[in-house]
Amino acid sequence: MSNTASAAGQPARRDLANAIRALSMDAVQAANSGHPGAPMGMADIAEVLWNDYLRHNPTNPAWANRDRFVLSNGHGSMLLYSLLHLTGYKDFPIEQIRNFRQFGYRTAGHPEYEPGGPIETTSGPLGQGLSNAVGMAMAERMLAAEFNRPGHNIVDHKTWVFLGDGCLMEGISHEACSLAGTLKLGKLICLYDDNNISIDGEVGGWFTDDTAKRFEAYGWQVVPNVDGHDAAAIAAAIEEASADPDRPTLICCKTIIGFGSPNKQGTASTHGAPLGDDEIAATRKELGWKSAPFDIPDDIASRWDGKARGASDENIWNVIFANYNAEYPDLANEFRRRMAGKLPSNWSDFADKAIAEINTAGEKVATRKASLIALNAFARALPEMAGGSADLTGSNLTKHNGSVPISGDDAEGNYVWFGVREFGMTAICNGLRLHGGFLPYCGTFLTFSDYARNALRMAALMKIQNVLVYTHDSIGLGEDGPTHQPVEHTASLRLMPNMSVWRPCDTVETAVAWRDAIERQDGPTSLILTRQGLPHQNRSAGQILDIARGAYVLRDSDGVPDIILIATGSEVALAVSAAEALTADGVNARVVSMPSTDVFDTQDAAYRESVLPAAVTARVAIEAGVTETWWRYVGSHGRVVGLDRFGESAPAEELFEHFGFTTENVVAVAKDVLK
């Protein structure tokens, strides 16, 4: 159907698209804040996709085999909210649209993910929605390879992305899209809003890439020069994209930002500001839209309603799944469990046994190796674990005994060679989790977590699980020097809301940290791990249980402690050595291992007091990093043995001695505190 033609008694496609334009410009005007340009420019594209191609069910946003839709250019959020309202999602009634960008409403300035809701990811930081979508498309392909059987395609859906110039300027788009081409993610289809405008104006002064050739070089199919305001041209491009099973597709849609605004369309003035009452009135006249603000005519509302079609699509899939369940009941049950994000029923007993075995072995290894030991143990019970490393597999030790790498030709596996793509890797793993069916983890050197930081922040903000394996955690890296020595990174991660951080001291603490990361489903976890070997610490059964509380008394004094030494990771053994020396000098010294400050901070007051009694004000914290986060534990009478400067290039042993991480110096500091 053309933009203007309509079936008997039915509104034209352009009228349907204009409903998006009207809602978007009116909502932005009511809020006196927002971005009307992208929704108005992409309205025709959205109308074709959502009414003719997108498989979704407004009455069940969490349907497992729905298509995933990602608005990567998230500033155009009113486009998505308009679509959710028009197609019949109950959480997006007209009152949500009227209250765009207001406190307590779902229509935030940028789309925000809620578990079980229709918004697939939080987008706004440009390029990350696109990268999340690559993870979703990977998840679909990997799950299909694992669960589908001849005649039973229970996993078979597409991932659709809307994106703009800004998404493609961001470097993360290169990281993610390059990998997407290599992995042949043919069910990933991106519609590019090529309107030649960003906030600063016409992009010709700063963005002159040959985008089509760029994506062709990635191994993508490119459909160029599509008129983004011609429904037939858009549909033809989508058909072409869908016909290629082996290549992701970029559809380059030529659009006019703020389409319909007679005096502002095609200019940056529509990008991030309300049109104004006079221009909105003129736009209504230009579009032939006669309805009052937030009023959708019944005939247009009826054509948009997607509930019946969505229910039909899901019912068809339900029959497919019922037949699958009859023939492969065990696989069906496993698929349900995986998509629900539930751990196996025997998980707790399995984890207890694995940790006990690791404790009995008592190996003296680097905690990066301890992490692999834990992975080898836990992955046996968790087929949903999928991960990789940013070109540091042999250093991060992220490839466990059950790891099977995926490729463009074979997606049946659970390990990804991410290449040197720290930011893209992390955002892709966020997408794996958002899709469902996987528990993602990814590794790099701790110092390179900076490259990935905004993806870490997005995982924390969305409250989604992602396990970050960060090795080579301090000056213990040694000869690679200060460029690779992450003195400030652990503290920085601890400052991020909803980021759980563990810096374990041996194999047992590392296993407990991994268990916590696996069981924590409402946020990401950073595991901070050493390059150098660390000794096993002897513990009672009760002490092993207390590790999960974030901090515990590892070595106690005979009586009330005179001083408490608090340490993490590689410095725990140093604290134990210093405590032994202090004890020999008649000082009652307690050692507290605190692998996770954030977990400890959530414990009840009585437990925290039992570990760090308020009456004992003589305290020394020891960590080979910046001191900033430790003063709240040692107080005004305490001291921190740390490193408030960058490191040096030298063997690790020399660096630890040079910077005062020695038994002699810790003892001296402790005695000074006791004066």
Side-chain angles (χ1 to χ4, degrees), residues 319-351:
V319 172
I320 294 170
F321 191 81
N323 293 333
Y324 179 84
N325 184 73
E327 191 163 349
Y328 305 101
D330 292 343
L331 280 174
N333 287 332
E334 179 68 2
F335 181 78
R336 291 190 192 95
R337 180 189 73 80
R338 294 265 295 271
M339 293 305 295
K342 296 180 179 179
L343 291 170
S345 58
N346 65 340
W347 164 251
S348 183
D349 290 341
F350 181 91

mmCIF file of all heavy atoms in Angstrom, residues 319-351:
data_model
loop_
_atom_site.group_PDB
_atom_site.id
_atom_site.type_symbol
_atom_site.label_atom_id
_atom_site.label_comp_id
_atom_site.label_asym_id
_atom_site.label_seq_id
_atom_site.Cartn_x
_atom_site.Cartn_y
_atom_site.Cartn_z
ATOM 1 N N VAL A 319 1.800 -23.642 19.616
ATOM 2 C CA VAL A 319 1.564 -24.965 19.024
ATOM 3 C C VAL A 319 2.894 -25.618 18.660
ATOM 4 O O VAL A 319 3.116 -26.808 18.919
ATOM 5 C CB VAL A 319 0.646 -24.852 17.788
ATOM 6 C CG1 VAL A 319 0.564 -26.191 17.054
ATOM 7 C CG2 VAL A 319 -0.743 -24.367 18.192
ATOM 8 N N ILE A 320 3.791 -24.823 18.059
ATOM 9 C CA ILE A 320 5.123 -25.337 17.715
ATOM 10 C C ILE A 320 5.842 -25.823 18.970
ATOM 11 O O ILE A 320 6.424 -26.914 18.990
ATOM 12 C CB ILE A 320 5.948 -24.241 17.002
ATOM 13 C CG1 ILE A 320 5.328 -23.908 15.648
ATOM 14 C CG2 ILE A 320 7.402 -24.691 16.831
ATOM 15 C CD1 ILE A 320 5.930 -22.683 14.979
ATOM 16 N N PHE A 321 5.753 -25.024 20.035
ATOM 17 C CA PHE A 321 6.451 -25.404 21.260
ATOM 18 C C PHE A 321 5.808 -26.614 21.923
ATOM 19 O O PHE A 321 6.503 -27.464 22.495
ATOM 20 C CB PHE A 321 6.503 -24.228 22.243
ATOM 21 C CG PHE A 321 7.421 -24.464 23.400
ATOM 22 C CD1 PHE A 321 8.792 -24.267 23.265
ATOM 23 C CD2 PHE A 321 6.940 -24.905 24.628
ATOM 24 C CE1 PHE A 321 9.663 -24.496 24.323
ATOM 25 C CE2 PHE A 321 7.799 -25.136 25.687
ATOM 26 C CZ PHE A 321 9.160 -24.929 25.536
ATOM 27 N N ALA A 322 4.486 -26.720 21.849
ATOM 28 C CA ALA A 322 3.803 -27.889 22.428
ATOM 29 C C ALA A 322 4.250 -29.167 21.730
ATOM 30 O O ALA A 322 4.485 -30.202 22.379
ATOM 31 C CB ALA A 322 2.294 -27.715 22.328
ATOM 32 N N ASN A 323 4.373 -29.125 20.422
ATOM 33 C CA ASN A 323 4.856 -30.294 19.674
ATOM 34 C C ASN A 323 6.309 -30.606 20.046
ATOM 35 O O ASN A 323 6.685 -31.780 20.179
ATOM 36 C CB ASN A 323 4.736 -30.046 18.177
ATOM 37 C CG ASN A 323 3.289 -29.966 17.720
ATOM 38 O OD1 ASN A 323 2.394 -30.554 18.333
ATOM 39 N ND2 ASN A 323 3.036 -29.236 16.630
ATOM 40 N N TYR A 324 7.103 -29.572 20.201
ATOM 41 C CA TYR A 324 8.495 -29.730 20.625
ATOM 42 C C TYR A 324 8.555 -30.372 22.013
ATOM 43 O O TYR A 324 9.333 -31.298 22.256
ATOM 44 C CB TYR A 324 9.166 -28.362 20.629
ATOM 45 C CG TYR A 324 10.610 -28.323 21.070
ATOM 46 C CD1 TYR A 324 11.641 -28.596 20.174
ATOM 47 C CD2 TYR A 324 10.948 -27.947 22.368
ATOM 48 C CE1 TYR A 324 12.975 -28.508 20.563
ATOM 49 C CE2 TYR A 324 12.276 -27.861 22.766
ATOM 50 C CZ TYR A 324 13.277 -28.136 21.864
ATOM 51 O OH TYR A 324 14.605 -28.045 22.262
ATOM 52 N N ASN A 325 7.705 -29.864 22.910
ATOM 53 C CA ASN A 325 7.667 -30.387 24.277
ATOM 54 C C ASN A 325 7.296 -31.861 24.300
ATOM 55 O O ASN A 325 7.818 -32.636 25.104
ATOM 56 C CB ASN A 325 6.687 -29.560 25.103
ATOM 57 C CG ASN A 325 6.652 -29.962 26.564
ATOM 58 O OD1 ASN A 325 7.574 -29.682 27.314
ATOM 59 N ND2 ASN A 325 5.572 -30.625 26.960
ATOM 60 N N ALA A 326 6.392 -32.245 23.419
ATOM 61 C CA ALA A 326 5.967 -33.644 23.372
ATOM 62 C C ALA A 326 7.101 -34.561 22.928
ATOM 63 O O ALA A 326 7.229 -35.686 23.414
ATOM 64 C CB ALA A 326 4.771 -33.789 22.437
ATOM 65 N N GLU A 327 7.928 -34.092 22.020
ATOM 66 C CA GLU A 327 9.000 -34.922 21.480
ATOM 67 C C GLU A 327 10.306 -34.780 22.256
ATOM 68 O O GLU A 327 11.069 -35.738 22.382
ATOM 69 C CB GLU A 327 9.237 -34.579 20.010
ATOM 70 C CG GLU A 327 10.145 -35.579 19.295
ATOM 71 C CD GLU A 327 10.055 -35.474 17.781
ATOM 72 O OE1 GLU A 327 9.140 -34.771 17.276
ATOM 73 O OE2 GLU A 327 10.905 -36.100 17.105
ATOM 74 N N TYR A 328 10.538 -33.595 22.806
ATOM 75 C CA TYR A 328 11.796 -33.325 23.523
ATOM 76 C C TYR A 328 11.493 -32.668 24.870
ATOM 77 O O TYR A 328 11.824 -31.506 25.109
ATOM 78 C CB TYR A 328 12.709 -32.419 22.690
ATOM 79 C CG TYR A 328 13.018 -32.922 21.314
ATOM 80 C CD1 TYR A 328 12.346 -32.408 20.200
ATOM 81 C CD2 TYR A 328 13.975 -33.899 21.101
ATOM 82 C CE1 TYR A 328 12.630 -32.857 18.929
ATOM 83 C CE2 TYR A 328 14.273 -34.366 19.826
ATOM 84 C CZ TYR A 328 13.589 -33.836 18.746
ATOM 85 O OH TYR A 328 13.877 -34.285 17.468
ATOM 86 N N PRO A 329 10.853 -33.394 25.787
ATOM 87 C CA PRO A 329 10.421 -32.770 27.045
ATOM 88 C C PRO A 329 11.566 -32.211 27.881
ATOM 89 O O PRO A 329 11.423 -31.159 28.500
ATOM 90 C CB PRO A 329 9.678 -33.897 27.772
ATOM 91 C CG PRO A 329 10.185 -35.166 27.132
ATOM 92 C CD PRO A 329 10.468 -34.821 25.717
ATOM 93 N N ASP A 330 12.685 -32.915 27.921
ATOM 94 C CA ASP A 330 13.812 -32.436 28.719
ATOM 95 C C ASP A 330 14.368 -31.125 28.156
ATOM 96 O O ASP A 330 14.674 -30.190 28.913
ATOM 97 C CB ASP A 330 14.913 -33.490 28.791
ATOM 98 C CG ASP A 330 14.504 -34.714 29.593
ATOM 99 O OD1 ASP A 330 13.518 -34.621 30.363
ATOM 100 O OD2 ASP A 330 15.155 -35.765 29.439
ATOM 101 N N LEU A 331 14.517 -31.061 26.850
ATOM 102 C CA LEU A 331 14.992 -29.831 26.222
ATOM 103 C C LEU A 331 14.002 -28.695 26.439
ATOM 104 O O LEU A 331 14.397 -27.552 26.685
ATOM 105 C CB LEU A 331 15.208 -30.051 24.724
ATOM 106 C CG LEU A 331 16.496 -30.741 24.292
ATOM 107 C CD1 LEU A 331 16.475 -31.018 22.795
ATOM 108 C CD2 LEU A 331 17.705 -29.898 24.657
ATOM 109 N N ALA A 332 12.720 -28.993 26.345
ATOM 110 C CA ALA A 332 11.696 -27.966 26.547
ATOM 111 C C ALA A 332 11.766 -27.395 27.961
ATOM 112 O O ALA A 332 11.676 -26.180 28.166
ATOM 113 C CB ALA A 332 10.311 -28.540 26.265
ATOM 114 N N ASN A 333 11.913 -28.273 28.940
ATOM 115 C CA ASN A 333 12.019 -27.815 30.325
ATOM 116 C C ASN A 333 13.271 -26.972 30.533
ATOM 117 O O ASN A 333 13.247 -25.956 31.244
ATOM 118 C CB ASN A 333 12.020 -29.007 31.283
ATOM 119 C CG ASN A 333 10.663 -29.655 31.410
ATOM 120 O OD1 ASN A 333 9.624 -29.000 31.235
ATOM 121 N ND2 ASN A 333 10.638 -30.947 31.732
ATOM 122 N N GLU A 334 14.372 -27.395 29.907
ATOM 123 C CA GLU A 334 15.607 -26.634 30.029
ATOM 124 C C GLU A 334 15.459 -25.265 29.372
ATOM 125 O O GLU A 334 15.942 -24.260 29.910
ATOM 126 C CB GLU A 334 16.773 -27.394 29.412
ATOM 127 C CG GLU A 334 18.112 -26.678 29.466
ATOM 128 C CD GLU A 334 18.689 -26.525 30.863
ATOM 129 O OE1 GLU A 334 18.056 -27.013 31.844
ATOM 130 O OE2 GLU A 334 19.781 -25.931 30.991
ATOM 131 N N PHE A 335 14.796 -25.194 28.235
ATOM 132 C CA PHE A 335 14.572 -23.914 27.568
ATOM 133 C C PHE A 335 13.736 -22.994 28.451
ATOM 134 O O PHE A 335 14.050 -21.802 28.589
ATOM 135 C CB PHE A 335 13.882 -24.142 26.223
ATOM 136 C CG PHE A 335 13.623 -22.879 25.446
ATOM 137 C CD1 PHE A 335 14.643 -22.252 24.752
ATOM 138 C CD2 PHE A 335 12.354 -22.317 25.411
ATOM 139 C CE1 PHE A 335 14.408 -21.086 24.030
ATOM 140 C CE2 PHE A 335 12.108 -21.148 24.702
ATOM 141 C CZ PHE A 335 13.144 -20.534 24.008
ATOM 142 N N ARG A 336 12.674 -23.529 29.047
ATOM 143 C CA ARG A 336 11.850 -22.718 29.940
ATOM 144 C C ARG A 336 12.685 -22.173 31.099
ATOM 145 O O ARG A 336 12.588 -20.988 31.446
ATOM 146 C CB ARG A 336 10.682 -23.540 30.488
ATOM 147 C CG ARG A 336 9.620 -23.932 29.484
ATOM 148 C CD ARG A 336 8.432 -24.527 30.217
ATOM 149 N NE ARG A 336 7.488 -25.188 29.302
ATOM 150 C CZ ARG A 336 7.497 -26.487 29.026
ATOM 151 N NH1 ARG A 336 8.396 -27.293 29.584
ATOM 152 N NH2 ARG A 336 6.608 -27.001 28.192
ATOM 153 N N ARG A 337 13.481 -23.037 31.706
ATOM 154 C CA ARG A 337 14.313 -22.608 32.839
ATOM 155 C C ARG A 337 15.272 -21.506 32.413
ATOM 156 O O ARG A 337 15.396 -20.480 33.095
ATOM 157 C CB ARG A 337 15.114 -23.789 33.399
ATOM 158 C CG ARG A 337 15.997 -23.400 34.569
ATOM 159 C CD ARG A 337 16.946 -24.518 34.994
ATOM 160 N NE ARG A 337 18.039 -24.725 34.047
ATOM 161 C CZ ARG A 337 19.146 -23.978 33.976
ATOM 162 N NH1 ARG A 337 19.312 -22.954 34.795
ATOM 163 N NH2 ARG A 337 20.088 -24.269 33.092
ATOM 164 N N ARG A 338 15.932 -21.723 31.296
ATOM 165 C CA ARG A 338 16.923 -20.764 30.824
ATOM 166 C C ARG A 338 16.281 -19.400 30.529
ATOM 167 O O ARG A 338 16.800 -18.359 30.904
ATOM 168 C CB ARG A 338 17.615 -21.314 29.584
ATOM 169 C CG ARG A 338 18.465 -22.567 29.817
ATOM 170 C CD ARG A 338 19.896 -22.218 30.043
ATOM 171 N NE ARG A 338 20.511 -21.624 28.855
ATOM 172 C CZ ARG A 338 21.108 -22.311 27.873
ATOM 173 N NH1 ARG A 338 21.201 -23.617 27.939
ATOM 174 N NH2 ARG A 338 21.648 -21.679 26.848
ATOM 175 N N MET A 339 15.167 -19.404 29.831
ATOM 176 C CA MET A 339 14.521 -18.148 29.469
ATOM 177 C C MET A 339 13.914 -17.452 30.682
ATOM 178 O O MET A 339 13.755 -16.220 30.684
ATOM 179 C CB MET A 339 13.457 -18.381 28.397
ATOM 180 C CG MET A 339 14.030 -18.827 27.052
ATOM 181 S SD MET A 339 15.285 -17.701 26.379
ATOM 182 C CE MET A 339 14.311 -16.224 26.077
ATOM 183 N N ALA A 340 13.586 -18.196 31.707
ATOM 184 C CA ALA A 340 13.077 -17.602 32.950
ATOM 185 C C ALA A 340 14.201 -17.064 33.826
ATOM 186 O O ALA A 340 13.934 -16.360 34.810
ATOM 187 C CB ALA A 340 12.249 -18.622 33.724
ATOM 188 N N GLY A 341 15.450 -17.393 33.478
ATOM 189 C CA GLY A 341 16.582 -16.921 34.259
ATOM 190 C C GLY A 341 16.722 -17.601 35.603
ATOM 191 O O GLY A 341 17.318 -17.039 36.530
ATOM 192 N N LYS A 342 16.200 -18.834 35.718
ATOM 193 C CA LYS A 342 16.274 -19.563 36.986
ATOM 194 C C LYS A 342 17.491 -20.480 37.011
ATOM 195 O O LYS A 342 17.846 -21.091 36.003
ATOM 196 C CB LYS A 342 14.997 -20.392 37.193
ATOM 197 C CG LYS A 342 13.727 -19.565 37.334
ATOM 198 C CD LYS A 342 12.523 -20.474 37.539
ATOM 199 C CE LYS A 342 11.251 -19.657 37.717
ATOM 200 N NZ LYS A 342 10.060 -20.550 37.895
ATOM 201 N N LEU A 343 18.115 -20.571 38.171
ATOM 202 C CA LEU A 343 19.222 -21.499 38.336
ATOM 203 C C LEU A 343 18.689 -22.923 38.482
ATOM 204 O O LEU A 343 17.532 -23.119 38.885
ATOM 205 C CB LEU A 343 20.049 -21.121 39.570
ATOM 206 C CG LEU A 343 20.838 -19.804 39.447
ATOM 207 C CD1 LEU A 343 21.411 -19.402 40.800
ATOM 208 C CD2 LEU A 343 21.947 -19.928 38.412
ATOM 209 N N PRO A 344 19.499 -23.938 38.166
ATOM 210 C CA PRO A 344 19.041 -25.320 38.323
ATOM 211 C C PRO A 344 18.598 -25.605 39.760
ATOM 212 O O PRO A 344 19.110 -25.009 40.713
ATOM 213 C CB PRO A 344 20.280 -26.145 37.955
ATOM 214 C CG PRO A 344 21.112 -25.237 37.099
ATOM 215 C CD PRO A 344 20.878 -23.850 37.620
ATOM 216 N N SER A 345 17.660 -26.521 39.913
ATOM 217 C CA SER A 345 17.097 -26.809 41.232
ATOM 218 C C SER A 345 18.140 -27.318 42.211
ATOM 219 O O SER A 345 17.996 -27.147 43.419
ATOM 220 C CB SER A 345 15.948 -27.821 41.099
ATOM 221 O OG SER A 345 16.417 -29.023 40.494
ATOM 222 N N ASN A 346 19.202 -27.961 41.703
ATOM 223 C CA ASN A 346 20.235 -28.505 42.575
ATOM 224 C C ASN A 346 21.422 -27.564 42.724
ATOM 225 O O ASN A 346 22.479 -27.975 43.216
ATOM 226 C CB ASN A 346 20.726 -29.851 42.041
ATOM 227 C CG ASN A 346 21.444 -29.724 40.692
ATOM 228 O OD1 ASN A 346 21.258 -28.726 39.981
ATOM 229 N ND2 ASN A 346 22.255 -30.717 40.354
ATOM 230 N N TRP A 347 21.261 -26.314 42.305
ATOM 231 C CA TRP A 347 22.394 -25.412 42.261
ATOM 232 C C TRP A 347 23.060 -25.214 43.621
ATOM 233 O O TRP A 347 24.279 -25.281 43.748
ATOM 234 C CB TRP A 347 21.987 -24.059 41.693
ATOM 235 C CG TRP A 347 23.003 -22.983 41.972
ATOM 236 C CD1 TRP A 347 22.902 -21.932 42.828
ATOM 237 C CD2 TRP A 347 24.319 -22.912 41.410
ATOM 238 N NE1 TRP A 347 24.056 -21.196 42.839
ATOM 239 C CE2 TRP A 347 24.956 -21.771 41.987
ATOM 240 C CE3 TRP A 347 25.026 -23.683 40.498
ATOM 241 C CZ2 TRP A 347 26.240 -21.388 41.658
ATOM 242 C CZ3 TRP A 347 26.331 -23.315 40.167
ATOM 243 C CH2 TRP A 347 26.922 -22.180 40.749
ATOM 244 N N SER A 348 22.281 -24.956 44.642
ATOM 245 C CA SER A 348 22.846 -24.637 45.943
ATOM 246 C C SER A 348 23.724 -25.773 46.470
ATOM 247 O O SER A 348 24.854 -25.540 46.921
ATOM 248 C CB SER A 348 21.728 -24.318 46.939
ATOM 249 O OG SER A 348 22.266 -23.930 48.189
ATOM 250 N N ASP A 349 23.219 -26.990 46.398
ATOM 251 C CA ASP A 349 24.009 -28.140 46.860
ATOM 252 C C ASP A 349 25.257 -28.320 45.994
ATOM 253 O O ASP A 349 26.340 -28.625 46.508
ATOM 254 C CB ASP A 349 23.161 -29.411 46.830
ATOM 255 C CG ASP A 349 22.084 -29.422 47.890
ATOM 256 O OD1 ASP A 349 22.193 -28.645 48.871
ATOM 257 O OD2 ASP A 349 21.118 -30.209 47.736
ATOM 258 N N PHE A 350 25.095 -28.133 44.700
ATOM 259 C CA PHE A 350 26.226 -28.277 43.789
ATOM 260 C C PHE A 350 27.311 -27.259 44.125
ATOM 261 O O PHE A 350 28.501 -27.597 44.187
ATOM 262 C CB PHE A 350 25.756 -28.085 42.343
ATOM 263 C CG PHE A 350 26.849 -28.230 41.326
ATOM 264 C CD1 PHE A 350 27.126 -29.461 40.742
ATOM 265 C CD2 PHE A 350 27.622 -27.141 40.948
ATOM 266 C CE1 PHE A 350 28.145 -29.596 39.806
ATOM 267 C CE2 PHE A 350 28.645 -27.270 40.019
ATOM 268 C CZ PHE A 350 28.908 -28.507 39.448
ATOM 269 N N ALA A 351 26.919 -26.007 44.342
ATOM 270 C CA ALA A 351 27.887 -24.958 44.636
ATOM 271 C C ALA A 351 28.582 -25.201 45.966
ATOM 272 O O ALA A 351 29.796 -24.992 46.095
ATOM 273 C CB ALA A 351 27.191 -23.597 44.624
#
